[in-house]
Amino acid sequence: MSARILLVLVSCALSVITGLVIARGGAGGGKTVRQRPVIGLSMDTLKEERWQVDRDLFTEKIKAAGADVLVQSANSNDAIQLQNVESLITQKVDALVIIPHDGAAMAKAVKLAHQAGIPVLSYDRLITDCDLDLYLTFDNVKVGELQAKFLAERIPAAGKLRLIRIYGAKTDNNAKLFKQGQDNVLQPLIAAGKVEVIFEDWAEDWKPESAKKITNAAITKNGPNFDAILASNDGTAGGAIQALMEEGLAGKIIVTGQDADLAACQRIAQGTQSMTVYKPIQSIATKAAELALKLAQRKPLVAKDAIPNGQVEVPTVLLDIVSVTKENLRETVVKDGFRKEADVFQ
Ligand code: BGC
């Protein structure tokens, strides 16, 4: 923390932690601030549709602000992601934005960046066990709570809800937070006998194929005798629904998701998926561009929250989210311009 001044002020009146981050190198000190800063964006993957939108919007915002972006994607491989970061450091980026494949593995990337005096913003997913400068994300625990609340509201009046749970990638800290939010809602219902988990597993690297296999295994073990699949994102929901289709069960089983992927919005309109959680990518990409530029220009910035990452309390900016069903598809993703009505309702 020597090269950076980090103040965490606790505001008792507001019960809010306000972090003021003055980027690595101090407020302009120790580093010449470039006229046209260059931001490095290191991405885990472009597999899910949302990440392509994140990349495009982030790039657009950075360019509109008169700066440049270098983007690298690691195809869910830690060694490649580390090489990508090393290459961005060699290219002398002024700030790094990292979407880690494995939050723990990328601690090394943060260390290397800091040795080169480059501040790091962790985007959407937390990098753990390091002296991270800033974290920007959605309220991930709330994502899990919204998914589980949707199910809680659909427990049969007489009886219980029999549930298959599909978690995300074990390497992704977010997957644990989604589960934590789901547990907050489900544990009391499980204890009260209103919900029974008949099968659960983690989908490797968030792969739809892995979610399909989990669903197949659950059906092989229990037969078609279940009511809902708590899939943690739209990609895994898609894999699960594929398995349901093969069994003639699609549309009969409640399926959750997250991301408001176009394919998921279409499934919701058609009735094979029941809900998704809309996380406005426009908000996170725009905010990330703004924060990354401030880091690059060594300007002070304020983060209202703080999240522990195993080593430090990371100054954090949290963004809000919305639950989307067939009833409010138009009022949410369409109204927001995230999806076109004609695309969703084909
Ligand atoms: C993101 C989700 C995404 C998942 C798979 C999570 O960290 O928060 O939006 O669906 O990764 O890429």
Side-chain angles (χ1 to χ4, degrees), residues 169-192:
K170 268 188 188 158
T171 48
D172 178 2
N173 188 62
N174 281 359
K176 295 168 198 157
L177 299 177
F178 303 142
K179 179 177 186 301
Q180 184 186 322
Q182 295 164 3
D183 286 343
N184 289 347
V185 176
L186 292 180
Q187 287 308 345
L189 296 167
I190 293 170

Side-chain angles (χ1 to χ4, degrees), residues 45 48 50-51 124-125 140 172 174 178 206 233 258-259 279:
T45 175
E48 283 88 6
R50 71 152 286 189
W51 299 119
D124 194 274
R125 299 175 179 166
N140 293 308
D172 178 2
N174 281 359
F178 303 142
W206 288 100
N233 79 343
Q258 156 183 205
D259 288 337
K279 308 194 294 188

Side-chain angles (χ1 to χ4, degrees), residues 31 89 93 111-118 298:
K31 181 183 186 301
I89 294 173
V93 293
K111 210 169 161 195
L112 292 174
H114 284 177
Q115 280 164 6
I118 301 168
R298 306 327 193 227

